[in-house]
Amino acid sequence: MEILWVLMSLVLLGFVLLPFLRRRRGMIEQVAPGHPDAADPENYGFVRQEELDIRMPGPDQDLLDVLDLVQRTQDHRSASQLLAGTEAEGERRWQRVQAFAGAASLELAQRPGGVGETPGGQWLRVWRAEAPKDAGGAAVQAEFLVQQAWRTSTPGTDEFRIIMEEAKAACGDAALLAPGDPVPYIIELSVARGLAYPRAEFEQLWLKILDRAPSHMGAHLAALHYWCEKWHGSRELAMSFTEAAAARAPRGSLLAAMPLFAVFEHLPEVNLVSGFYQSEVVTKAVHGALFAVHSARHDDPMLAHVRHLLVFFLVRSERWAEAMNQLIHVDGHVGALPWTLSGDPAAEFAVYRALAVAGYEANGGTPATLPR
């Protein structure tokens, strides 16, 4: 199967103007759109690369409709109504807060404003001015500031620290408006990472989240970054954190997939070990994630996140049929790890999809044999 992987990679490379693959954290950077030997995604009902939605990991039509309305009319009221009707302790509220904040941040980046020009994201400023007691608006504002800090400044600089301190204060304001809502504290996890909270202070923050939503997958993913080697922890601490989460996960919870995210966060920049993706640590984490997916509710908002990461690992492990089984559930939306780490998430996803199809067909698979 190693030979099959090499052959497929060479075929893809032969039709690319700049024929190289850069392995960064195990990722493939170059794509061959329109490659004549690549399987047509339409044969499997897959969406063409240019039509892939990079905004979110899976469908949320209510959110998309409201985002479109807000950006078209610059009226925040529909966003406020959507968040007010979204369960506070659930995963979807956190995802929607991120989406609204991200939309405002991107608008501002595209239209920073100038003489006689209204800056982008004005609807968020109006929202906060007109409804200062709106808990949803306060949470979006806090997340907006966090995203602005990471997007526009460098960690460790005065500018970064100033924005993060403002975000921390905004998290406190949002928490006061909705005492039982874990989202303001989840937002603060990113502040804690950026401002390098001491471990005791971070753990106090984490306990506040566990008191409100002990099985919140999004919160665990946000906390994982703090414990990673590249921030304020180590590989061992990150694995310990995720394994503990998986061990206490209630039935049907996707927390059993957490170790796979820890493995991903600590992939080597360059992999020189033959069979690394078939190693015991990777295989164990993949099996945990597969178990979580199989036992989770079909409408769990975090399910797509786990499936996307499984596609990455299953393709790398040359488990083609299992990769295809995940692809049929997530194809069409690519706003999730690992694709979002690329400058072109749709292209990154399309290469892995093409490799999955090629491996599947090389082992006798066809569109007719792919279970739906």
Side-chain angles (χ1 to χ4, degrees), residues 62 70 117 120 146-147 175 191 194 256 273 275 281 291 293 340 365:
D62 288 342
V70 168
E117 181 185 6
V146 166
Q147 293 193 27
V191 176
V273 180
V281 64
F291 170 80
V293 164
T340 50

Side-chain angles (χ1 to χ4, degrees), residues 46-63:
F46 292 152
V47 175
R48 291 195 174 276
Q49 179 180 324
E50 60 270 19
E51 297 173 356
L52 291 168
D53 190 330
I54 66 173
R55 294 173 294 179
M56 48 188 34
D60 184 346
Q61 195 57 49
D62 288 342
L63 173 60

